[in-house]
Amino acid sequence: MNRIIIDVYVLQTVPPSNLNRDDTGSPKTAVYGGVRRARVSSQAWKRAVRLAFAELLDSSVLGERTKRVGESLAARIRTLDPSLSNEDASALAAEVFAASGLAKAEKKKGEAKDVESGYLLFLSHRQLDNIAAAALESKRAGTALDKKRFKELANTEHSVDIAMFGRMVADMADINVDAACQVAHAISVHAVDNEFDYFTAVDDRKKDAAETGAGMIGTIEFNSSTLYRYATVNVNALHETLGDAAATRAAVEAFLIAFARSVPTGKQNTFAHRTLPDAVVVRVRDTQPINMVGAFESAIQETESAGRVKLAAAALTDHVLAVESAYGERPVGSWVTQVGEQTAVLTDLGKAVTLGELVTGVGEQIASALGQPA
């Protein structure tokens, strides 16, 4: 099977917003090309994609990342054997994770307590179900679920989100999963200066006209930007982890939809910032992933005749064609979903299609490459 790399390039404009905050509550930024840019971390957007998966894929092919592993496993044990009390299910779950070495069994006032791992533990729903079933089987046989068996169950039937974004287990490195997907930090194509919104809130029970002033005052920091976003998926690595061509295609299709339509939710009630991309460009390659961020090393400066989106679309088109020409890169497939005349130049990179047609086209190409019927 030839190498299959999917590169996704997105231009997206967001209004005044604070999608992703730093430790002081300010919108994250980065210096690139000598100027400060708005930035949304890859972690923030991957989280948004994972949440979007829940609406696109069945729960059975997804996972959960939590420290509250005992609570999750105990619930599954109780589902399989309702005759067990909550305390007995929690005790059994604690024994399992204690045997695995990932959490310590604890007791509080003589009663079993749902154990927690020392860090976020990422397990697929199927893995948790299988571990719960094995725990009950061991209990009935009067034996204990050992670490070796736990590792076997935790290292098979990986979920789509684990396969996409990887898993690191510090205390059990041999069940780590390499991520098939890499997501870049989104940055604005232009320079930004964060601004402050000074706000006041009035006390609804303040009726006396003589009692003036606000119930509270404060400030919220924000910026607005046209973002360049990039992600890449190694289909071969994804297929190796999932072990099934149909599942691999479904995972990629779900990712494309989720990456295009998801937005981090930081301060969304304050700013209602949810937008859809101005353009989505997908290039399928058989060589290596290529981030085209160099198109914006020189910050975009809008003019009277052209705004940031139009100039950004032109810069991205020119840079993609220049890089691919210089290095002899010939994508094996290309699709463009774009909105309006501002991004029409991007059709030089591929035929303009709807997002649905783009997703179907990529899916069919993956099916063909993996030897599956389209």
Side-chain angles (χ1 to χ4, degrees), residues 177-196:
V177 178
D178 290 333
C181 174
Q182 299 170 352
V183 179
H185 288 231
I187 61 170
S188 63
V189 301
H190 52 86
V192 298
D193 290 312
N194 288 345
E195 301 179 66
F196 290 86

Side-chain angles (χ1 to χ4, degrees), residues 44 46 72 134 143 176 181 185 230 244 257 286 294 308 311 320 323 334 347 355 359:
K46 283 189 284 189
S72 180
T143 60
N176 288 350
C181 174
H185 288 231
Y230 169 74
D244 180 79
I257 296 171
D286 57 7
R308 289 172 179 166
L311 293 171
V320 169
V323 169
S334 186
T347 57
L355 181 64
V359 171

Side-chain angles (χ1 to χ4, degrees), residues 34 52 111 174 265 298 345 352:
E111 296 182 356
D174 48 351
T265 57
S298 294
V345 67

Side-chain angles (χ1 to χ4, degrees), residues 31-336:
V31 174
Y32 180 68
V35 300
R36 188 160 298 281
R37 317 291 185 107
R39 176 172 67 91
V40 181
S41 72
S42 59
Q43 297 92 329
W45 227 300
K46 283 189 284 189
R47 168 72 173 167
V49 169
R50 284 186 56 229
L51 292 177
F53 277 164
E55 299 179 2
L56 299 168
L57 296 167
D58 188 82
S59 175
S60 65
V61 299
L62 296 175
E64 63 181 46
R65 188 178 62 178
T66 181
K67 295 173 69 174
R68 298 164 66 173
V69 290
E71 178 183 325
S72 180
L73 186 59
R76 284 171 164 79
I77 290 171
R78 282 269 296 153
T79 297
L80 293 174
D81 187 353
S83 68
L84 287 179
S85 66
N86 290 333
E87 182 182 345
D88 288 341
S90 293
L92 182 55
E95 290 174 9
V96 169
F97 282 109
S100 73
L102 296 178
K104 294 181 179 179
E106 297 180 25
K107 288 189 176 182
K108 186 176 182 181
K109 295 182 180 179
E111 296 182 356
K113 175 185 176 184
D114 285 324
V115 297
E116 294 189 2
S117 55
Y119 44 81
L120 292 171
L121 187 60
F122 204 175
L123 292 168
S124 78
H125 292 158
R126 285 175 177 169
Q127 288 167 351
L128 285 165
D129 289 339
N130 293 340
I131 292 169
L136 283 169
E137 182 181 333
S138 296
K139 177 180 173 63
R140 290 162 184 156
T143 60
L145 185 68
D146 61 19
K147 187 173 183 177
K148 180 180 178 181
R149 179 61 175 151
F150 179 92
K151 287 199 293 186
E152 289 174 355
L153 296 172
N155 207 29
T156 55
E157 295 198 71
H158 292 302
S159 60
V160 168
D161 39 7
I162 289 176
M164 277 285 181
F165 302 124
R167 177 177 71 190
M168 187 186 79
V169 183
D171 299 326
M172 201 178 286
D174 48 351
I175 68 168
N176 288 350
V177 178
D178 290 333
C181 174
Q182 299 170 352
V183 179
H185 288 231
I187 61 170
S188 63
V189 301
H190 52 86
V192 298
D193 290 312
N194 288 345
E195 301 179 66
F196 290 86
D197 174 38
Y198 170 81
F199 67 88
T200 64
V202 178
D203 189 326
D204 288 345
R205 294 190 62 84
K206 189 178 288 187
K207 307 297 184 182
D208 190 342
E211 191 178 355
T212 61
M216 67 172 290
I217 60 174
T219 59
I220 297 176
E221 202 167 352
F222 68 92
N223 58 40
S224 58
S225 59
T226 297
L227 298 168
Y228 164 76
R229 301 168 49 206
Y230 169 74
T232 185
V233 179
N234 184 328
V235 177
N236 306 78
L238 183 65
H239 182 244
E240 182 176 351
T241 301
L242 294 178
D244 180 79
T248 301
R249 174 180 177 173
V252 171
E253 291 179 337
F255 174 79
L256 292 173
I257 296 171
F259 189 66
R261 301 185 69 95
S262 65
V263 179
T265 57
K267 291 288 185 182
Q268 67 178 359
N269 290 340
T270 301
F271 293 106
H273 57 248
R274 195 175 186 109
T275 62
L276 290 172
D278 301 286
V280 178
V281 179
V282 174
R283 310 282 264 184
V284 177
R285 308 184 187 280
D286 57 7
T287 53
Q288 68 174 67
I290 307 173
N291 187 336
M292 296 294 179
V293 68
F296 309 110
E297 192 271 339
S298 294
I300 296 294
Q301 292 184 320
E302 66 270 31
T303 66
E304 290 184 3
S305 60
R308 289 172 179 166
V309 173
K310 184 174 183 177
L311 293 171
L316 181 59
T317 301
D318 290 345
H319 190 70
V320 169
L321 294 176
V323 169
E324 291 179 349
S325 175
Y327 287 91
E329 287 285 335
R330 292 180 177 81
V332 296
S334 186
W335 298 262
V336 178

